[in-house]
Amino acid sequence: MALISRSFTDLSRRRFIQGIAGTSAVILTTSFSGSARASDMMPFLKASSLLCGIELDRSYIQLGERIYRALTQGATPQDIKNWQRLIDVLAKLPAKTTEKHLHQKLKSMGPRYLEKARLLARVWYTGRIERKSGASAGTFEVITYDEALVWQACTFTKPPVTCGGHFGYWQHPYSGTGNI
Amino acid sequence: MNDTMIKTDIEADIIIIGAGLFGGLMAYELAKKADIHNKDLKIAMIDSGPVVDRVEAVQRFKKSPVKSGNSPYPKEPWAPIPSEEDPTDYYVQDGKGETDPLKRVAFGALYLRNVGGTSWHFTGHAERMYPQDFKLKTAYGRGEDWPISYETLEPYYARVEQAWGVSGNNTVVAPNPHPYPLPYTPLTYLDQQVDVAAHKLGDSVGPMPHCRNAVPYDGRPQCCGNASCRFICPIGAKYDGSVHVEKAQNLGAELYTNHVVRHIEVGADQQIDHIRFRNYEDPNNPVDGIAKAKLFILAAHGIESPRLLLMSKNEHAPHGVANSSDQVGRNLMSMVGINAGGYAPMPVYPYRGPVNATGAFWQLRNGEFRKDFASIATIIINGGFDPTNGPLNEADRAIKEGRFGTALRNQVFNTTATQVYFDNSVEVLPDPENRMTLAWDQLDDTGLPRPKISYKIDEYSVEGVYISWKRAWDMLWALGAKTDMYGDPLTKPTRKAFDAYVAKHGIASGAAMIAGTTRMGNDPKSSVVDPYCRSHDHNNLFIVGTGTYVTSGSVSPSLTAAAISVRSADHIFETFQHA
């Protein structure tokens, strides 16, 4: 039988484009554009860490750039300013900010910022982004699959088509440090 | 494998149309026998698709947003196939919206057209049919009997198990008097947790036989549980048809890729004289050619084989090739079912180990109950609700529900680690009105008619679907699940609820089996091929694959068709020896 869950079916109804988004042309006017120094990306990574609950250190700079480019592809100058404001505000919050406090902060900034925060977390976790406007409207781009944060959250598994371990490891319960 | 020849005309002793699981194995068996007996036997394999590059296939899979069965593989316009997302992009099936399964079942069986064929993304389950599957009418008063028995096929099963490197022990499927060549593939932790619940219901979970290497075998590495690996095994630990295509080439067989056979020409003597193909090796400059041989083997699976036979009408075969019985394309069978999933109250850790399953339920596969309802194969999916994007979908849902930070991470972990998903496959009986015909008013990109499908099931199978659906839900309750896979509270699996579900959604066919469309039999009036897979109408044409099945059973279909193919290859070689 085909394995099609509800969410998968919803996804498959839309059109798709294939390929890595990092090569697409983008307009970047922020301080951490294509030739970014590592320090320019740190606020973005800090804000992302807060939203995702996973620490994103300097090894994520390259992926962070690709995600930011995908988020701001085709964005208006005002929209880019909004992104910048969100990142600046989140980056200044303490690392141990609770989910409740985060919601309060985003609520105080306005609904568009809550949606942006959700989108940012979603792209980091899934490695894909849905295009809502323009010629690619209704399509998904895969920015990364293996590096999507969902695989870090699900410590008991690995991205599909990645060697899991020695033969038969699967018969034993996961013994790592899960969060359940 | 990459040194594919480009020719306009081909000549050989034996031409095999379709270099997939069965065509490749037959090419190897014939070439090996010729080598052993020092006989000059020229074999050519012709396939409509390309050679698959495993590394490229893995990359293609990772880049694809929809990671379905066909995602890793090239899709060539000259070799169209149904997609998992919408099979009707190739199949033509009327009656969309009809949910009564006694009138229409949406047909969604999948296949690939490339070297190695559909086995590139098959489950790797190498199950034998039960002895009673071959005499369903005699044993249970249902369906029909085959013209061959389990006992006839048993030594060929054993040969294929050796060739593929099958691992197993006392599996949930038919008892095997020969030991499997490889040690068994262990049950996952998930299987073991389900087994505890199954015992509460008087059932239990046992291991499946696999053609994925439990130890290094035949030059291929040991499986390392590349969850979720069903759609592409990145290391070749899982057997696929390209293995024996390459072995056949090493023994001198020729391979022609991207050659689409468009017509089989029957002569006045009812022999196959030649076939006509179009060579797409240079896609911008396709070249037409003909291929001649003493004997032809058609091994293009359950849709493309009858499609080609029906397309090939001429004055000597006015109803199509091998179709004097009018049975080509009829008796189409593909198992049906409704799957079920929910969240266990404790982590069971899916997404680990070989996908799609290592464990299955022992009960309801074979027994006296088959007098009343169809055989059922229920397996426990190691890949959760969606073997490739399942965890991503959980992340989507958690974010939609407002999760951020550590709460987000924990929810994604918890919901993914507790997924339990049961896949139900239910037997379908042969029905001449279930058939594949040609949609001459809807052509593919090369001007050939797309396959038109008529498909429904009877009450025998509907009852099997209900019993399997109920068992899956009972199993979720026994596990202590509180919510189903959509996050809704788990409900009781009553007949009323089942009927309401079917009335709303219908019952869909599975993806795994396409059978019956070139059925085997002793009577030329009611079958297409004889027990050796030789066309009743044309002495020099053999048609192999699951299309030869008389009944479907509920086990994974490939091993039986492979055993039948090897038996056929032995018979063909003996014929050549004595010619």
Side-chain angles (χ1 to χ4, degrees), chain A residues 1-20 49-55 95 97-99 102-103 106 113-114 116-123 125-128 139-142 144-146 148-180, chain B residues 58 60-68 84-85 184-189 192 213-214 222-230 232 234 335-339 346-347 349-354 356 358 381 385-389 391-393 395-396 399-410 412-414 416-418 421 423-425 485-486 488 508-512:
Chain A
M1 297 298 300
L3 303 174
I4 302 177
S5 66
R6 179 190 286 173
S7 49
F8 181 86
T9 307
D10 290 342
L11 189 69
S12 65
R13 287 200 187 104
R14 301 166 188 147
R15 291 189 298 121
F16 295 97
I17 57 173
Q18 298 185 4
I20 301 295
S49 298
L50 195 69
L51 292 172
C52 296
I54 293 171
E55 188 184 348
T97 301
T98 63
E99 185 185 65
L102 203 49
H103 270 289
L106 291 166
Y113 291 96
L114 177 61
K116 277 191 168 5
R118 283 178 171 168
L119 177 61
L120 182 54
R122 185 176 290 119
V123 174
Y125 260 82
T126 64
R128 66 192 181 198
T139 66
F140 276 83
E141 288 176 7
V142 175
T144 181
Y145 186 59
D146 289 351
L149 292 189
V150 73
W151 307 118
Q152 286 217 30
C154 296
T155 44
F156 56 89
T157 186
K158 292 183 179 177
V161 197
T162 304
C163 189
H166 63 86
F167 180 80
Y169 75 87
W170 50 80
Q171 64 190 306
H172 308 293
Y174 170 66
S175 57
T177 52
N179 298 295
I180 199 157
Chain B
V58 168
R60 198 178 289 113
F61 168 79
K62 290 192 172 182
K63 289 177 183 176
S64 172
V66 175
K67 290 177 168 55
S68 61
E84 191 163 333
E85 297 77 52
Y184 92 111
T185 301
L187 295 175
T188 59
Y189 179 72
Q192 296 167 50
N213 282 352
Q222 185 183 37
C223 170
C224 60
N226 295 276
S228 301
C229 57
R230 183 168 85 77
I232 173 76
M335 289 178 278
V336 294
I338 299 173
N339 300 340
M346 70 295 192
Y349 302 120
Y351 300 95
R352 298 170 88 232
N356 63 353
T358 43
I381 297 294
F385 301 160
D386 178 337
T388 52
N389 280 335
L392 280 65
N393 296 337
D396 265 339
I399 292 164
K400 203 175 285 179
E401 290 173 1
R403 297 286 77 76
F404 283 125
T406 307
L408 169 59
R409 179 178 182 158
N410 283 349
V412 173
F413 181 99
N414 293 348
T416 307
T418 54
Y421 195 73
D423 178 297
N424 290 316
S425 293
M485 62 185 287
Y486 304 120
D488 299 325
S509 85

Side-chain angles (χ1 to χ4, degrees), chain B residues 29 48 197 213 217 232 272 276 382 396 402 422 476 512 514 535 554:
Chain B
E29 289 291 333
S48 59
N213 282 352
Y217 184 78
I232 173 76
I272 307 302
R276 296 203 299 265
N382 286 336
D396 265 339
F422 300 118
L476 288 172
I514 308 169
S535 159
S554 68

Side-chain angles (χ1 to χ4, degrees), chain B residues 147-214:
Chain B
I148 55 174
S149 66
Y150 178 87
E151 290 70 27
T152 303
L153 267 193
E154 204 286 325
Y156 299 97
Y157 272 133
R159 274 172 62 182
V160 176
E161 285 158 356
Q162 288 288 334
W164 288 7
V166 175
S167 72
N169 58 359
N170 58 333
T171 65
V172 293
V173 288
N176 181 357
H178 293 88
Y180 284 105
L182 273 62
Y184 92 111
T185 301
L187 295 175
T188 59
Y189 179 72
L190 163 66
D191 294 330
Q192 296 167 50
Q193 302 313 301
V194 173
D195 185 50
V196 172
H199 273 85
K200 295 178 191 169
L201 301 174
D203 206 332
S204 58
V205 173
M208 303 282 285
H210 291 254
C211 60
R212 49 174 52 84
N213 282 352

Side-chain angles (χ1 to χ4, degrees), chain B residues 171-449:
Chain B
T171 65
V172 293
V173 288
N176 181 357
H178 293 88
Y180 284 105
L182 273 62
Y184 92 111
T185 301
L187 295 175
T188 59
Y189 179 72
L190 163 66
D191 294 330
Q192 296 167 50
Q193 302 313 301
V194 173
D195 185 50
V196 172
H199 273 85
K200 295 178 191 169
L201 301 174
D203 206 332
S204 58
V205 173
M208 303 282 285
H210 291 254
C211 60
R212 49 174 52 84
N213 282 352
V215 294
Y217 184 78
D218 196 27
R220 293 181 289 119
Q222 185 183 37
C223 170
C224 60
N226 295 276
S228 301
C229 57
R230 183 168 85 77
F231 303 145
I232 173 76
C233 174
I235 60 172
K238 186 185 81 172
Y239 176 84
D240 64 68
S242 71
V243 170
H244 277 91
V245 172
E246 192 165 351
K247 284 175 183 278
Q249 285 183 278
N250 290 339
L251 289 170
E254 294 177 345
L255 172 65
Y256 298 87
T257 55
N258 298 311
H259 282 51
V260 180
V261 178
R262 297 169 68 88
H263 189 85
I264 299 173
E265 188 71 20
V266 175
D269 59 358
Q270 288 299 311
Q271 296 287 294
I272 307 302
D273 185 75
H274 64 270
I275 58 177
R276 296 203 299 265
F277 61 81
R278 186 162 293 168
N279 172 0
Y280 290 91
E281 279 292 301
D282 178 356
N284 296 319
N285 297 291
V287 181
D288 286 348
I290 65 167
K292 288 198 158 200
K294 294 170 187 162
L295 186 141
F296 295 84
I297 299 170
L298 179 55
H301 207 357
I303 294 294
E304 295 303 322
S305 283
R307 180 178 178 234
L308 178 58
L309 293 169
L310 292 173
M311 286 193 302
S312 301
K313 290 180 182 176
N314 75 2
E315 59 184 311
H316 307 302
H319 305 293
V321 174
N323 196 30
S324 65
S325 63
D326 189 32
Q327 293 300 305
V328 170
R330 292 187 183 272
N331 300 295
L332 175 63
M333 293 176 284
S334 180
M335 289 178 278
V336 294
I338 299 173
N339 300 340
Y343 293 97
M346 70 295 192
V348 290
Y349 302 120
Y351 300 95
R352 298 170 88 232
V355 169
N356 63 353
T358 43
F361 294 116
W362 281 96
Q363 304 295 320
L364 302 180
R365 297 180 76 101
N366 185 44
E368 290 296 311
F369 69 86
R370 292 177 78 177
K371 291 177 178 173
D372 302 318
F373 60 88
S375 171
I376 297 164
T378 300
I379 58 177
I380 302 132
I381 297 294
N382 286 336
F385 301 160
D386 178 337
T388 52
N389 280 335
L392 280 65
N393 296 337
E394 292 293 0
D396 265 339
R397 183 186 296 179
I399 292 164
K400 203 175 285 179
E401 290 173 1
R403 297 286 77 76
F404 283 125
T406 307
L408 169 59
R409 179 178 182 158
N410 283 349
Q411 180 165 327
V412 173
F413 181 99
N414 293 348
T415 53
T416 307
T418 54
Q419 290 182 2
V420 180
Y421 195 73
F422 300 118
D423 178 297
N424 290 316
S425 293
V426 175
E427 168 183 36
V428 170
L429 297 177
D431 175 351
E433 297 309 311
N434 282 343
R435 63 188 302 198
M436 190 229 75
T437 55
L438 302 175
W440 282 105
D441 56 341
Q442 299 192 59
L443 307 180
D444 68 17
D445 287 348
T446 70
L448 298 176

